[in-house]
Amino acid sequence: MEYRTLGNNLTVSAVGLGCMGMSHAYGAPADKKEMKELLAEAVETGYTFFDTAEVYGTPENPHDNEELVGEALKPYRNKVVIATKFGIHFDMDSKQVNKPLAPDSRPEVIRVSAENSLKWLGTDHIDLYYQHRVDDSVPIEEVAGGMQELIQDGKITHWGISEADEATIRRAHGVCPVTAIQNRYSMMARWHESLFPVLEELKIGYVAFSPLANGFLSARYGKDSRFEAGTDYRSIMPQFMPEALEQNQKLLELISTVAEEKHATPGQISLAWMLCKKPYLVPIPGTRKSDRLKENAGAVEIRLTPKEVEILDKQLETMEMSDVFGGTKVLNVRE
């Protein structure tokens, strides 16, 4: 494993582990014993960066993922970086598979969320605390001020913002330095590349969630793939629809060709493409499987030259591909 620095001084493994899918959005929660063993294996493999959130759970146990991550990583706490998030809740009355979410970053809510996350994670501090979604009802300067207070209190050591735009990043950073943003990013979702200049200017890291387009870019799915209705978001994602396979055939062929040349897997090429693009990019693919855990970690060994990355970028810009899941609907009113 290789390591990278987010912001000024937060060192993390170059590939992190997104833990959400162990408890939330990818079907019924996985077996806890198996996931604890997988998280321990991740540490042994070299992963030091683990991502969760206060809402990654089930209706019966909304904090399932934080509890799992905290328990599994307790023996390694001084060796790992744990990131979690505050500031949203789901509309549980909705019938949608991916239920709409409502932002809520009021100061009193943030303080309670931080204390609860510390409890569920079983730790005395959070290494990286993200605002899960920007709350238009609360000025970002006020949120940043709250983060500064949590840092002064020793509750958190670094903070970041998920799904932020340039103006929000600048305003937040002016109050309390932002260590990282966490935005969607993959070969199929490149709309945040416009943020690269401001991230470089302010020395802020980019943590990429869904770097494999929710697993699609691993090239392991086909028309016969089936996902659990009602609990697996992939069952409604456009890239997994039967007609999408044909639309994305050229994309998969491109990735597979490069993979063959580099003696790698398509998933590794998808991760290596972003790892070789910017030194402050850290993908956090999720998995429930040991072989995928090792495969994703192996992406750090794949070297793409700047010219090879440039060629891939140009091909991606002109290539036909299906729509890709772009996220959950955000409600405009606080509920």
Side-chain angles (χ1 to χ4, degrees), residues 143-217:
V143 175
M147 295 299 103
Q148 187 67 63
E149 291 178 5
L150 288 172
I151 291 171
Q152 291 169 350
D153 292 345
K155 304 290 186 182
I156 70 173
T157 60
H158 304 78
W159 85 289
I161 316 173
S162 185
E163 298 284 32
D165 59 21
E166 179 177 346
T168 301
I169 294 167
R170 288 188 180 279
R171 289 166 55 200
H173 192 77
V175 176
C176 182
V178 175
T179 293
I181 64 164
Q182 186 182 133
N183 286 14
R184 187 179 305 274
Y185 188 51
S186 73
M187 285 183 166
M188 297 183 76
R190 299 177 60 199
W191 45 79
H192 291 304
E193 288 185 349
S194 60
L195 294 175
F196 288 167
V198 69
L199 299 180
E200 289 161 14
E201 174 192 341
L202 302 179
K203 294 181 180 170
I204 296 172
Y206 189 140
V207 177
F209 73 83
S210 298
L212 297 176
N214 305 98
F216 182 81
L217 294 174

Side-chain angles (χ1 to χ4, degrees), residues 254-272:
L254 170 65
I255 299 171
S256 295
T257 297
V258 178
E260 188 173 345
E261 293 171 356
K262 297 290 183 179
H263 306 290
T265 67
Q268 287 176 328
I269 295 302
S270 300
L271 296 175

Side-chain angles (χ1 to χ4, degrees), residues 223-288:
K223 289 184 177 180
D224 295 329
S225 297
R226 295 290 179 267
F227 306 105
E228 190 174 310
T231 58
D232 193 326
Y233 285 19
R234 291 172 296 181
S235 63
I236 50 88
M237 289 182 184
Q239 69 266 35
F240 290 103
M241 297 298 105
E243 61 273 15
L245 193 62
E246 186 173 335
Q247 288 177 280
N248 295 318
Q249 194 59 41
K250 288 184 179 179
L251 172 61
L252 295 178
E253 287 175 359
L254 170 65
I255 299 171
S256 295
T257 297
V258 178
E260 188 173 345
E261 293 171 356
K262 297 290 183 179
H263 306 290
T265 67
Q268 287 176 328
I269 295 302
S270 300
L271 296 175
W273 164 78
M274 65 177 70
L275 287 168
C276 295
K277 186 188 286 277
K278 299 291 182 181
Y280 51 83
L281 264 167
V282 176
I284 51 168
T287 188
R288 297 181 175 189

Side-chain angles (χ1 to χ4, degrees), residues 32-335:
K32 272 193 168 55
K33 181 177 182 292
E34 291 179 5
M35 292 303 96
K36 287 178 184 177
E37 292 172 353
L38 185 68
L39 285 160
E41 182 183 354
V43 176
E44 293 166 5
T45 303
Y47 285 85
T48 64
F49 190 28
F50 298 85
D51 185 88
T52 182
E54 65 175 346
V55 293
Y56 292 163
T58 64
E60 297 74 29
N61 185 8
H63 306 286
D64 184 83
N65 202 243
E66 283 189 326
E67 287 182 334
L68 168 65
V69 170
E71 290 173 14
L73 296 181
K74 188 174 183 179
Y76 318 101
R77 185 64 187 95
N78 63 344
K79 300 178 181 179
V80 299
V81 170
I82 296 177
T84 192
K85 311 178 194 73
F86 67 88
I88 66 168
H89 65 266
F90 292 109
D91 175 12
M92 298 309 293
D93 294 328
S94 171
K95 302 299 183 184
Q96 296 181 39
V97 176
N98 56 324
K99 299 182 185 304
L101 57 87
D104 191 347
S105 287
R106 289 173 291 172
E108 62 271 24
V109 172
I110 293 175
R111 179 63 64 164
V112 170
S113 289
E115 295 292 351
N116 283 339
S117 286
L118 289 168
K119 179 175 66 175
W120 299 124
L121 289 165
T123 186
D124 62 356
H125 73 282
I126 296 163
D127 300 295
L128 180 55
Y129 201 35
Y130 293 107
Q131 182 184 33
H132 209 150
R133 290 293 183 273
V134 174
D135 183 351
D136 292 334
S137 300
V138 179
I140 194 64
E141 291 86 353
E142 192 172 322
V143 175
M147 295 299 103
Q148 187 67 63
E149 291 178 5
L150 288 172
I151 291 171
Q152 291 169 350
D153 292 345
K155 304 290 186 182
I156 70 173
T157 60
H158 304 78
W159 85 289
I161 316 173
S162 185
E163 298 284 32
D165 59 21
E166 179 177 346
T168 301
I169 294 167
R170 288 188 180 279
R171 289 166 55 200
H173 192 77
V175 176
C176 182
V178 175
T179 293
I181 64 164
Q182 186 182 133
N183 286 14
R184 187 179 305 274
Y185 188 51
S186 73
M187 285 183 166
M188 297 183 76
R190 299 177 60 199
W191 45 79
H192 291 304
E193 288 185 349
S194 60
L195 294 175
F196 288 167
V198 69
L199 299 180
E200 289 161 14
E201 174 192 341
L202 302 179
K203 294 181 180 170
I204 296 172
Y206 189 140
V207 177
F209 73 83
S210 298
L212 297 176
N214 305 98
F216 182 81
L217 294 174
S218 68
R220 294 192 178 192
Y221 297 92
K223 289 184 177 180
D224 295 329
S225 297
R226 295 290 179 267
F227 306 105
E228 190 174 310
T231 58
D232 193 326
Y233 285 19
R234 291 172 296 181
S235 63
I236 50 88
M237 289 182 184
Q239 69 266 35
F240 290 103
M241 297 298 105
E243 61 273 15
L245 193 62
E246 186 173 335
Q247 288 177 280
N248 295 318
Q249 194 59 41
K250 288 184 179 179
L251 172 61
L252 295 178
E253 287 175 359
L254 170 65
I255 299 171
S256 295
T257 297
V258 178
E260 188 173 345
E261 293 171 356
K262 297 290 183 179
H263 306 290
T265 67
Q268 287 176 328
I269 295 302
S270 300
L271 296 175
W273 164 78
M274 65 177 70
L275 287 168
C276 295
K277 186 188 286 277
K278 299 291 182 181
Y280 51 83
L281 264 167
V282 176
I284 51 168
T287 188
R288 297 181 175 189
K289 299 177 180 178
S290 174
D291 63 333
R292 291 298 304 279
L293 186 79
K294 295 172 184 173
E295 178 184 331
N296 293 339
V300 301
E301 300 173 10
I302 311 302
R303 296 288 182 259
L304 298 175
T305 66
K307 186 63 177 178
E308 287 173 325
V309 171
E310 181 184 352
I311 291 171
L312 278 171
D313 283 350
K314 288 181 178 178
Q315 290 176 295
L316 292 172
E317 286 165 8
T318 59
M319 184 173 291
E320 178 192 4
M321 59 181 76
S322 73
D323 288 338
V324 64
F325 183 66
T328 302
K329 179 183 177 182
V330 178
L331 299 175
N332 294 319
V333 294
R334 198 175 331 272
E335 296 182 357

